[in-house]
Amino acid sequence: MLTTYSRRRTVMTEKERELERAKGDWSKHDNKKYVGKLDRQYVSMSEGYEVEYFIDHYLDTRGKAVSNKNRDIVTAALESYPGKAPYPRGALTAFLDSKWGLSAVR
């Protein structure tokens, strides 16, 4: 006999739906479960998930919308980063902050 249950219906706002679409499907990305010491200190530009996570975290901590448009802007800025690999998270964040005069939202 099948058990019946009722699903709680969740109503999302338009902004929440947009954010879900912008996040995309990361299920196919590389090793997102590894959170070792190196991942906390450096961003590997060859690992797409790390770059996406860094950009989303940067936008979120700066009070900016996590959207594809903003991701594209940050990605373009990162392409002009003058440093060489390995890319320290702090240096990338400082570079982006100095480019736009931003700082972390408290």
Side-chain angles (χ1 to χ4, degrees), residues 58-59 62-64 93-94 96-105:
Y58 178 79
L59 290 169
R62 292 333 187 240
K64 302 300 177 187
T93 300
L96 294 172
D97 284 348
S98 68
K99 193 166 188 72
W100 295 305
L102 297 176
S103 61
V105 176

Side-chain angles (χ1 to χ4, degrees), residues 55 59 64-75 100:
I55 291 171
L59 290 169
K64 302 300 177 187
V66 178
S67 66
N68 287 332
K69 180 180 178 183
N70 284 344
R71 286 177 176 151
D72 291 344
I73 292 168
V74 174
T75 300
W100 295 305

Side-chain angles (χ1 to χ4, degrees), residues 20-77:
E20 286 300 312
R21 283 191 301 269
K23 285 182 180 176
D25 177 16
W26 288 8
S27 61
K28 297 177 182 137
H29 294 281
D30 55 355
N31 205 358
K32 57 185 167 273
K33 293 182 181 177
Y34 176 75
V35 289
K37 185 175 181 180
L38 291 177
D39 274 353
R40 289 190 301 267
Q41 295 176 351
Y42 299 100
V43 176
S44 172
M45 296 301 184
S46 64
E47 293 188 27
Y49 176 80
E50 277 189 41
V51 177
E52 289 174 0
Y53 179 83
F54 173 79
I55 291 171
D56 286 358
H57 181 73
Y58 178 79
L59 290 169
D60 188 47
T61 59
R62 292 333 187 240
K64 302 300 177 187
V66 178
S67 66
N68 287 332
K69 180 180 178 183
N70 284 344
R71 286 177 176 151
D72 291 344
I73 292 168
V74 174
T75 300

